[in-house]
Amino acid sequence: QVQLVESGGGLVQAGGSLNLSCAASGTIFSIKDMAWYRQAPGKQRELVAGIASGGSANYAGSVKGRFAISRDNAKNTVYLQMNSLKPEDTAVYYCNADIVTTRGYQYRYWGQGTQVTVSS
C-alpha cells in the first residue's frame, strides 16, 4: 500500500555531516506531517525533527542549530541534513509520515530505519 524508504545513513567522524532521505511511495492521496525519530540502544525512541505540509519545522533541543529538516512535496520526500555530528547522535534513525491513502484511510507510517554511527 504505502512504503517509506530511508537512505543516507552511515559511519562518520565527530564533526562530520550526513544527509538522510526518506521517500514515500504507493497509494498516497496526501501527506500531512513528516518527521525523523531516532532510537539508541537501551533508550526510548525520540523525536528529532518534524515538518508540516506547509514547511513549518520543529527540532529537539539537542539537535537545534545542527540539523535541518526539509521536504519536497512533489517527490513525497523528507530530508534531514545533519551537521556537526556528535557521538551521542549515534542511533537508528526512522522516517515517519502521516499519510492519507487513496482509499481514504489516514495512518502514521514508519520506515525501516537507517543506522547513523558517529565515532569519537
Side-chain angles (χ1 to χ4, degrees), residues 42-66:
K43 293 187 176 182
Q44 293 184 330
R45 188 171 299 186
E46 64 174 345
L47 176 66
V48 177
I51 185 167
S53 60
S56 178
N58 62 89
Y59 301 89
S62 59
V63 307
K64 190 174 297 183
R66 299 188 297 121

Side-chain angles (χ1 to χ4, degrees), residues 1-47:
Q1 187 182 48
V2 173
Q3 292 181 321
L4 300 179
V5 180
E6 301 104 332
S7 62
L11 174 64
V12 298
Q13 294 182 348
S17 299
L18 282 175
N19 186 261
L20 306 183
S21 299
C22 173
S25 62
T27 55
I28 299 170
F29 179 77
S30 65
I31 302 178
K32 300 201 293 183
D33 296 341
M34 304 185 81
W36 289 95
Y37 288 75
R38 68 185 181 188
Q39 187 167 23
K43 293 187 176 182
Q44 293 184 330
R45 188 171 299 186
E46 64 174 345
L47 176 66

